[in-house]
Amino acid sequence: MCLGIALAASEIPNDLIDRHALRRRIHERGGEPEFRFLYRDRHPRLPVWRDGRLQIVRWGNGQKKSRFLPDTGWTWQATIDQGYWKNLNPAPVDIPASLGLERGVWYRIRQGVRGLLVPDERGVAVVYMICEPSSHYYQIMTRSNRMPTLIEERI
Amino acid sequence: MSGVCTKLLFMEQIQGMKAVGHLDADCFYVSAERVRDSFLLGKPVGVLGNQGACVIAKSYEMKAAGVSTGMPIWDALVKCPEGVYIKRDFRWYEVLSRLMLEVAREVSPRVEYYSIDEFFFTVAEPRGGSFQVLAESIRDRIWERVRVPVTVGIARTRTLAKLISDAAKPFGALAVVDRGAEERLLSGRPVTEITGIAGRRAARLEPWGITTCLDLARADRRLVRSLLTASGEALWWELNGDPVRAIEPRRPAHKALSRGGSFGESTSDPAVLHAWLVRNLERLIEELEYHGVAAGRLTVAIPYKSGQTGVGQVHLAVPSDRFDLLLDAARSALRKAWIPRATATHMHVIAEQLTHRVDCPGDLFEPPARAAQAQAVARLKRAVNARHGRFALRSAATQALGPIYRDAANAYDICDVRGKSCF
């Protein structure tokens, strides 16, 4: 599964950077700044497109801030299809990403990753990254048996 | 007679001096990806082949971090943790390669499509210009039109031209056509930089004090021939400015055709090995059909993780390009190459003793109905695949390779780019 993403710095507006104190997430690669959103961060967050606006929301429930949401940051597409999330008023969202990170491998993502947005018991938005069984290529490249569901892209 | 000589000399002066150009794209696969994805500019980028297992091309930024071509991704990650890894796409690389070839053909009547990112061509010194200006203009024209950075070398022979373009990389253009400048260039370069001289040949030269390109150029020709045979002597002539290796605008006929490569995931499973055999054979038959030839001998080579290589070879009763006959031969060769329980990493299926199909005799002992049936199946397979895509109709024996066929990137490989004189 994808443990983090990077997004070109030019993709995030300044007001979001200030509001969510994102400057500490800035890294440089090849002289270009990018924001890194990692699941292992002390405050795991992901950018999502919701109602035509880019927002920064909590990534999953690994830190158990919610008592009823699953303690993970990912969900299978099959689980969604089987209706396991339907009581939580889920909304499909797009997670913009320039790169994905899996077991140390940074790989190119052209548009982004599919996500599922749900509210916790306090109404705070939480996003789960949607994943699917790895393609042969992804499995060899990362040695992981699940991969993120990419937007209009198959690797 | 003297009048004819004078006329020839005059013609040569009008046309200008002739030389050989070598064009080499800089980190071509990465540059090709950057043409369509500007996000990758300036970043350390690695293109992965072998189904995601190895780096088959890297940017200069990744090279500076110590990553080499062919390195497994797990080693590359240690050397360059900030690297960005992308999947190969030979269809796209071929598109850009053919665009570059078009530009080369505009400046030269004789271009050899050596490999997907390397061409040799003949050039005449432009009137009122120089080879240096010509080299720069070719490089710039490709950059303007294709946006791929290339390096161009111009010299008196193709061996010198390649050495010069290697020395001028990246995004360089250099013409060296006088002996003094050639010698300065050759003096600083190890002999292994010459295409055709690798470790074993270099070791043969070393006891004679031949370690640089200039040492080889100045060595006694007969000594070079005795150490490196006639092909080594050809290099000697070329290093001394005498062109003996021709530019081939059309690829010479193949002596052998082969298909195969890495499995990505090593295997000892006989069913998977058989599936790879059938996949490689189907691809090989496509190639035999394209070139209009039939195979008289089939070889299956399987390198194993232990370092051993199993080889099986079968002679066909009559040369053939038929799936059923070649499959029988290939299975028999596989049995000879197979080492039970050993883990195999690669497989190569090689067709040799090629004969033009029109010259092939029929098998006198085969019932005509059987041959007709096999040909009808082959026709149907070609027609279905032409309409619905390569491998849409294929042998059921390839079922064990479902994930390989599901990935469109595996449907087109570097060897499917036709017309190159080298791999």
Side-chain angles (χ1 to χ4, degrees):
Chain A
M1 56 205 164
C2 180
L3 295 170
I5 61 158
L7 188 61
S10 56
E11 301 283 322
I12 300 186
N14 284 336
D15 66 311
L16 270 188
I17 297 171
D18 297 334
R19 203 184 321 148
H20 294 276
L22 297 181
R23 289 191 201 284
R24 70 178 180 84
R25 296 172 196 260
I26 289 187
H27 292 78
E28 210 171 84
R29 192 191 310 259
E32 289 288 320
E34 64 187 28
F35 288 98
R36 291 187 189 171
F37 298 92
L38 306 179
Y39 189 67
R40 63 165 188 255
D41 192 277
R42 62 181 188 274
H43 299 299
R45 299 284 185 272
L46 279 175
V48 298
W49 280 105
R50 190 187 180 197
D51 302 329
R53 282 193 311 130
L54 189 65
Q55 300 181 11
I56 306 293
V57 301
R58 215 164 77 205
W59 181 358
N61 191 34
Q63 294 172 330
K64 300 184 181 164
K65 290 196 172 172
S66 163
R67 280 181 297 141
F68 70 86
L69 288 178
D71 302 345
T72 175
W74 302 268
T75 179
W76 290 102
Q77 179 63 52
T79 313
I80 301 167
D81 296 342
Q82 286 158 8
Y84 282 91
W85 290 88
K86 69 179 178 196
N87 294 331
L88 294 171
N89 295 322
V93 287
D94 289 348
I95 302 165
S98 310
L99 298 169
L101 174 68
E102 178 92 61
R103 299 201 187 190
V105 181
W106 285 102
Y107 54 92
R108 179 76 171 115
I109 296 175
R110 308 280 173 189
Q111 285 192 49
V113 179
R114 304 261 182 225
L116 193 74
L117 197 70
V118 290
D120 71 1
E121 54 268 50
R122 288 180 290 277
V124 176
V126 178
V127 67
Y128 287 82
M129 198 181 268
I130 299 173
C131 60
E132 60 191 27
S134 289
S135 66
H136 180 71
Y137 170 84
Y138 192 90
Q139 204 265 327
I140 300 266
M141 175 176 70
T142 63
R143 298 182 184 172
S144 170
N145 57 11
R146 42 189 154 164
M147 66 185 288
T149 302
L150 304 176
I151 300 168
E152 291 177 23
E153 187 182 3
R154 182 88 192 146
I155 61 169
Chain B
M1 188 67 186
S2 70
V4 174
C5 285
T6 312
K7 195 175 175 187
L8 281 174
L9 191 66
F10 177 68
M11 287 295 289
E12 202 160 79
Q13 278 169 354
I14 282 189
Q15 286 171 349
M17 185 186 164
K18 288 271 166 50
V20 175
H22 177 247
L23 185 153
D24 193 355
D26 302 330
C27 54
F28 178 56
Y29 299 164
V30 174
S31 298
E33 292 294 342
R34 285 172 170 168
V35 168
R36 61 181 177 182
D37 186 1
S38 59
F39 174 81
L40 301 171
L41 291 169
K43 296 185 172 66
V45 178
V47 176
L48 299 177
N50 295 342
Q51 297 133 42
C54 290
V55 177
I56 57 167
K58 75 276 173 199
S59 66
Y60 286 103
E61 296 83 2
M62 189 171 268
K63 187 179 180 181
V67 176
S68 55
T69 301
M71 188 179 267
I73 184 168
W74 297 104
D75 296 337
L77 287 179
V78 176
K79 303 254 184 198
C80 187
E82 293 291 291
V84 175
Y85 294 91
I86 43 181
K87 194 176 187 177
R88 66 186 183 164
D89 179 357
F90 286 116
R91 280 196 179 87
W92 175 240
Y93 306 156
E94 183 180 3
V95 168
L96 297 183
S97 175
R98 303 244 177 237
L99 288 174
M100 294 196 302
L101 189 61
E102 237 175 68
V103 176
R105 284 184 176 145
E106 284 170 16
V107 295
S108 169
R110 207 173 166 80
V111 182
E112 178 177 328
Y113 190 30
Y114 183 69
S115 71
I116 194 166
D117 61 347
E118 261 184 276
F119 320 140
F120 287 99
F121 50 94
T122 54
V123 279
E125 192 167 29
R127 265 184 236 170
S130 68
F131 281 126
Q132 181 60 38
V133 172
L134 181 64
E136 286 166 14
S137 73
I138 296 168
R139 177 199 62 187
D140 296 344
R141 198 186 291 193
I142 287 184
W143 174 249
E144 281 159 21
R145 217 180 284 176
V146 194
R147 308 309 287 180
V148 169
V150 302
T151 297
V152 178
I154 293 180
R156 293 191 291 161
T157 67
R158 58 187 284 161
T159 303
L160 286 169
K162 182 159 170 54
L163 281 169
I164 286 162
S165 66
D166 286 348
K169 272 183 165 295
F171 201 55
L174 184 61
V176 177
V177 286
D178 70 274
R179 192 59 195 157
E182 277 172 12
E183 290 198 344
R184 280 193 296 280
L185 182 97
L186 296 177
S187 65
R189 313 197 77 77
V191 76
T192 45
E193 288 198 10
I194 300 169
T195 305
I197 299 190
R200 223 181 283 174
R201 289 182 126 191
R204 252 181 266 162
L205 294 170
E206 214 217 321
W208 298 88
I210 301 170
T211 56
T212 69
C213 298
L214 186 61
D215 292 338
L216 183 61
R218 285 184 174 168
D220 182 78
R221 178 180 59 80
R222 283 159 301 183
L223 172 69
V224 174
R225 189 186 173 96
S226 70
L227 294 172
L228 304 181
T229 69
S231 66
E233 187 189 349
L235 292 174
W236 182 91
W237 284 108
E238 289 254 323
L239 286 177
N240 283 296
D242 287 306
V244 293
R245 303 174 88 191
I247 307 293
E248 305 276 5
R250 290 192 63 172
R251 197 205 182 287
H254 287 272
K255 287 182 183 161
L257 288 166
S258 76
R259 284 295 179 269
S262 163
F263 297 145
E265 256 176 325
S266 308
T267 183
S268 57
D269 183 345
V272 175
L273 284 174
H274 183 250
W276 277 107
L277 179 81
V278 176
R279 173 179 164 82
N280 290 331
L281 185 65
E282 286 190 330
R283 294 170 65 212
L284 182 62
I285 288 171
E286 281 180 348
E287 209 54 19
L288 292 171
E289 287 173 351
Y290 175 79
H291 291 284
V293 292
R297 188 171 73 187
L298 206 64
T299 303
V300 174
I302 306 179
Y304 291 89
K305 236 179 184 169
S306 59
Q308 294 166 284
T309 299
V311 178
Q313 208 165 60
V314 172
H315 289 263
L316 286 106
V318 287
S320 179
D321 63 352
R322 259 172 53 190
F323 179 71
D324 57 334
L325 298 179
L326 289 175
L327 183 60
D328 282 346
R331 279 181 181 145
S332 172
L334 176 64
R335 273 192 291 275
K336 292 177 191 169
W338 182 49
I339 302 175
R341 289 179 296 282
T343 307
T345 58
H346 295 67
M347 177 188 288
H348 304 283
V349 182
I350 306 154
E352 293 161 297
Q353 297 177 357
L354 303 178
T355 314
H356 281 287
R357 203 165 41 225
V358 287
D359 301 331
C360 290
D363 187 344
L364 298 175
F365 301 100
E366 186 181 49
R370 192 183 161 200
Q373 190 185 32
Q375 281 157 5
V377 170
R379 270 198 304 276
L380 177 70
K381 203 168 166 181
R382 274 198 300 274
V384 169
N385 288 337
R387 178 178 283 197
H388 298 285
R390 197 177 181 193
F391 306 126
L393 183 62
R394 60 178 192 270
S395 167
T398 59
Q399 263 186 338
L401 302 180
I404 300 290
Y405 285 96
R406 274 197 289 278
D407 187 342
N410 293 324
Y412 202 71
D413 221 324
I414 180 71
C415 51
D416 295 315
V417 179
R418 287 176 170 143
K420 302 180 269 86
S421 53
C422 183
F423 178 75

